[in-house]
Amino acid sequence: MAEANILVAHDQFSCSVCLEILKDPVAIPCGHSYCMGCIKNCWDQTDHVGVYSCPQCRETFTPRPVLRRNTMLAEVVEKLKKTGLNPPPAQSYAGPGDVSCDVCTGRKFKAVKSCLTCLASYCETHVKPHYEGAAFKRHKLINSIGNLEQKLCAEHQKVLDIFCRTDQTCVCVLCIDKEHKSHDTVSAEAERTGKQKQLGETQTEIQQRIQGRLNEIEELKQAVKSLKRSACIEIKESEKIFTELIRSIEKIHTEVIELIGANKKAAVNQAEGLMKKLKQEIAELRRRNAELKQLSETEDHIHFLQNFKSLCAPPEAGDLPSITVNTDISFGAVRKAVSELKDHIEDFCKVELVKITATVNETAVYTLGSRSSDRHVNMNEVAVYSLQSPEPRNRAEFLKYSCQLKLDPNTASSELCLSEGNRKVTWRESQRYPDHPERFDILSQVLCRKGLSGTRCYWEIEWSGESTYIGVTYKGISRKGLDASCCLGCNHKSWTLYCSGSNYTANHNNNRIAITNPHVPRIGVYLDFNAGTLSFYGISDTMTLLHRFQTTFTEPLYPAFGPGYETTVIICQLN
């Protein structure tokens, strides 16, 4: 019972403004009591309006009531303090980002409710009159929100509780009689009800998309696992196959070496056996010759006549046939045959590598495309970021990416003459060109007008003469001078194929790779900007890959040419 009395005392003798025990208590005309300092501060803030209200019941007074200390109430409060009155219940003070109570003075408590009628926010204590007082029954309480002034009409200072569907904006009751007269208007609550359903549908769609994306992530994870597992298996299997292939080549190598060795050994043995027989025949002939010499020198006529017949008979021809020695013996033909085998294998490997590369590139973890439900899909982004499809496998597929190129006269050096609608360039004696900052002043080089980026492009050129450079470059390549920063293929801004007869060289950043291939007057160039590949092909009855650069392109690329002495380069029309 004592505890209950203390709680009642606490509620009755605490100031609803500062939430502490009353200090210098005063009672205002409506009967509610406050600390003199608290109510004075509240009314000081509304002096400019001239209307003063009770913070609890909102009853208004005009003029401002005179405040006098309630002596009896002060004595009761002092006695209750001596009996051990509990302190006010703990509340959370408003922190950064919190909505503070509009009634609290000094350090403000965190608001728990906001009133759209009063346009004020209240803490747990100051909101109680809205639950208990009859005057507040029609007030609309919501969870605390900030910036309540934004809920007022700037012109009429009324709550924006009406929605104009015609202008799609919130208005007050006075607005619909003026600016929004005859417009389609409904209460904000009614419009909220309709839009709430639409909001729910959007939320459902978003949740479905989130779930869809989560499913895609899971599928991607599984696909990546499968890809890694498959790649490991294929790498191991490919290693086995290549190991077997290497063993086969090593076996052929061993067989050829053994064949040459066996042939050498057999031939040497035969020759040595024949030489042994020849030596034996020579020894026999020398013995016979010695006997004849001895017979010819004897003085015994009878002995001479008795042995003449047996010793002077013609020597037998012997078992050995006539011998013709090969003085130009060599295994050069074997070396030629092995060299041709090497060339055949390399050519075959080049062709098969193109097929293998295309097959590998067809292995895609995912592809991107538009969704019928995605109303904001940017198709340009899809085109840029979609997984690259495999590289073309034949000329017909390459031609699908053909582009029209024209040379830029402002870049051509004075030794180059442009013709045929700026598709043909020929090295000649000095031309008269006007000065231009983009012109190569010394090196015989020229760029195309069009920069290529973010796509696939294919073009072909025909060349004749001594030599030429064919390639691409960033626009920032130097134009003045003879050093590496100007020369195509000699810096990090350009990639080229140098053609001279049947000699080819791939060049980038002054690194050169020699290429062996028969002379071809027609060269195909394939650029896949996003994949970072630049490929050169020799065009004849078939397409032969001469070289492929693999890198990351960071700027648009301009097709470039550097014809040598009396050389002509023509950009072919492919359509």
Side-chain angles (χ1 to χ4, degrees):
M1 180 64 71
E3 183 178 355
N5 290 335
I6 291 175
L7 292 176
V8 170
H10 169 265
D11 290 338
Q12 291 178 344
F13 299 103
S14 63
C15 174
S16 61
V17 175
C18 67
L19 303 179
E20 297 179 358
I21 299 300
L22 290 166
K23 299 175 183 177
D24 294 330
V26 295
I28 62 177
C30 64
H32 292 111
S33 299
Y34 300 95
C35 300
M36 181 177 287
C38 292
I39 193 64
K40 184 178 181 298
N41 289 336
C42 286
W43 286 353
D44 286 347
Q45 294 175 15
T46 58
D47 260 342
H48 66 284
V49 178
V51 178
Y52 307 92
S53 64
C54 173
Q56 294 188 62
C57 66
R58 294 291 177 176
E59 184 178 344
T60 58
F61 314 105
T62 304
R64 177 171 176 168
V66 177
L67 299 175
R68 292 185 177 88
R69 186 171 185 269
N70 190 325
T71 306
M72 182 181 293
L73 185 58
E75 291 176 354
V76 173
V77 169
E78 288 298 322
K79 289 181 180 180
L80 287 174
K81 285 182 178 179
K82 293 178 181 179
T83 61
L85 185 65
N86 284 337
Q91 293 192 72
S92 299
Y93 286 108
D98 292 332
V99 178
S100 59
C101 177
D102 291 323
V103 181
C104 291
T105 59
R107 186 175 181 184
K108 295 179 178 290
F109 286 110
K110 181 178 178 181
V112 294
K113 293 291 181 180
S114 296
C115 178
L116 294 180
T117 306
C118 303
L119 290 177
S121 298
Y122 304 99
C123 63
E124 290 181 357
T125 300
H126 291 135
V127 78
K128 287 180 180 179
H130 277 74
Y131 294 124
E132 300 168 356
F136 299 105
K137 286 185 178 180
R138 294 186 178 181
H139 286 206
K140 187 172 181 61
L141 288 176
I142 61 172
N143 291 332
S144 61
I145 58 173
N147 300 321
L148 284 170
E149 64 275 5
Q150 294 181 0
K151 310 298 184 293
L152 284 178
C153 175
E155 182 178 355
H156 304 113
Q157 296 300 306
K158 296 290 184 179
V159 179
L160 299 171
D161 54 358
I162 297 174
F163 185 79
C164 177
R165 290 176 173 172
T166 305
D167 294 334
Q168 291 292 301
T169 185
C170 291
V171 297
C172 71
V173 291
L174 297 181
C175 290
I176 61 176
D177 292 331
K178 295 182 179 180
E179 296 88 347
H180 299 271
K181 191 174 183 179
S182 73
H183 286 191
D184 181 13
T185 58
V186 295
S187 68
E189 184 177 0
E191 183 67 16
R192 163 69 184 272
T193 302
K195 291 190 179 297
Q196 186 72 34
K197 181 180 179 182
Q198 181 181 344
L199 180 65
E201 294 173 352
T202 303
Q203 283 182 305
T204 301
E205 181 182 347
I206 289 174
Q207 290 170 355
Q208 290 174 348
R209 288 180 61 182
I210 290 173
Q211 187 59 48
R213 294 302 192 191
L214 290 173
N215 292 340
E216 288 172 353
I217 289 175
E218 187 59 34
E219 291 175 359
L220 274 172
K221 288 181 179 178
Q222 297 302 320
V224 169
K225 287 182 181 179
S226 177
L227 179 71
K228 290 180 178 179
R229 183 169 56 252
S230 177
C232 289
I233 293 173
E234 294 309 316
I235 288 173
K236 290 180 180 178
E237 293 300 319
S238 297
E239 286 178 347
K240 290 180 182 179
I241 294 172
F242 278 109
T243 300
E244 292 175 1
L245 178 60
I246 293 170
R247 286 174 181 169
S248 298
I249 294 175
E250 289 176 345
K251 183 179 179 183
I252 295 173
H253 170 223
T254 301
E255 290 178 352
V256 170
I257 298 302
E258 289 178 349
L259 179 63
I260 295 174
N263 184 280
K264 178 193 73 173
K265 184 177 180 180
V268 169
N269 289 339
Q270 290 177 357
E272 289 177 346
L274 182 58
M275 286 190 289
K276 183 178 180 181
K277 291 181 178 180
L278 289 173
K279 289 178 180 179
Q280 289 176 350
E281 183 175 336
I282 291 171
E284 178 62 25
L285 290 173
R286 284 177 175 171
R287 183 190 62 78
R288 179 84 175 272
N289 186 54
E291 289 180 350
L292 290 174
K293 181 180 179 183
Q294 184 180 6
L295 181 63
S296 66
E297 293 175 353
T298 184
E299 295 179 357
D300 186 348
H301 302 303
I302 297 172
H303 175 75
F304 178 88
L305 294 172
Q306 288 176 340
N307 292 281
F308 175 80
K309 185 177 181 180
S310 59
L311 293 176
C312 286
E316 296 179 359
D319 298 331
L320 295 177
S322 174
I323 298 173
T324 301
V325 177
N326 182 6
T327 58
D328 192 25
I329 189 168
S330 171
F331 283 98
V334 177
R335 183 173 64 252
K336 181 180 179 183
V338 172
S339 179
E340 290 176 352
L341 174 62
K342 167 182 166 292
D343 293 340
H344 286 316
I345 292 176
E346 288 179 346
D347 292 341
F348 178 78
C349 288
K350 284 182 181 179
V351 174
E352 293 304 311
L353 181 58
V354 172
K355 295 179 182 178
I356 293 171
T357 302
T359 303
V360 171
N361 288 339
E362 288 176 354
T363 305
V365 174
Y366 68 94
T367 56
L368 297 179
S370 64
R371 296 171 179 265
S372 57
S373 60
D374 287 355
R375 291 166 291 181
H376 306 292
V377 172
N378 186 329
M379 296 310 296
N380 291 327
E381 291 180 359
V382 171
V384 171
Y385 295 109
S386 63
L387 188 69
Q388 297 300 312
S389 54
E391 185 168 304
R393 289 167 290 186
N394 52 59
R395 189 164 179 266
E397 293 185 5
F398 277 103
L399 291 176
K400 294 178 182 178
Y401 302 99
S402 61
C403 59
Q404 299 298 323
L405 300 176
K406 286 191 176 182
L407 301 168
D408 185 355
N410 292 330
T411 65
S413 66
S414 59
E415 292 82 10
L416 300 180
C417 177
L418 307 187
S419 59
E420 295 185 10
N422 292 334
R423 291 190 304 103
K424 179 179 180 180
V425 55
T426 304
W427 193 99
R428 288 184 183 174
E429 294 181 357
S430 183
Q431 313 296 310
R432 291 185 178 180
Y433 289 129
D435 291 336
H436 197 281
E438 295 185 358
R439 189 178 310 285
F440 291 97
D441 63 347
I442 297 179
L443 293 172
S444 58
Q445 298 178 162
V446 62
L447 307 185
C448 286
R449 291 179 177 175
K450 183 179 180 182
L452 308 175
S453 64
T455 185
R456 294 178 167 204
C457 297
Y458 177 75
W459 63 96
E460 292 180 358
I461 66 98
E462 287 187 350
W463 71 281
S464 59
E466 185 177 278
S467 64
T468 186
Y469 286 91
I470 304 166
V472 297
T473 181
Y474 292 147
K475 193 172 185 178
I477 189 171
S478 298
R479 314 298 174 96
K480 311 303 179 185
L482 280 169
D483 60 18
S485 64
C486 305
C487 184
L488 293 173
C490 296
N491 48 68
H492 69 281
K493 296 182 178 180
S494 57
W495 297 258
T496 64
L497 179 73
Y498 175 72
C499 308
S500 176
S502 59
N503 297 320
Y504 300 89
T505 307
N507 308 278
H508 171 63
N509 205 17
N510 221 20
N511 294 320
R512 297 176 176 83
I513 300 175
I515 301 165
T516 302
N517 195 79
H519 171 72
V520 283
R522 194 178 184 102
I523 302 295
V525 185
Y526 175 70
L527 169 66
D528 189 336
F529 189 93
N530 293 332
T533 59
L534 176 68
S535 307
F536 296 90
Y537 292 87
I539 309 298
S540 54
D541 294 336
T542 59
M543 293 184 66
T544 302
L545 178 64
L546 300 175
H547 186 75
R548 177 183 290 111
F549 290 104
Q550 183 69 57
T551 185
T552 299
F553 298 119
T554 58
E555 302 176 30
L557 295 165
Y558 290 79
F561 307 96
Y565 179 74
E566 294 186 349
T567 297
T568 296
V569 175
I570 301 174
I571 302 173
C572 303
Q573 288 185 317
L574 301 178
N575 294 334

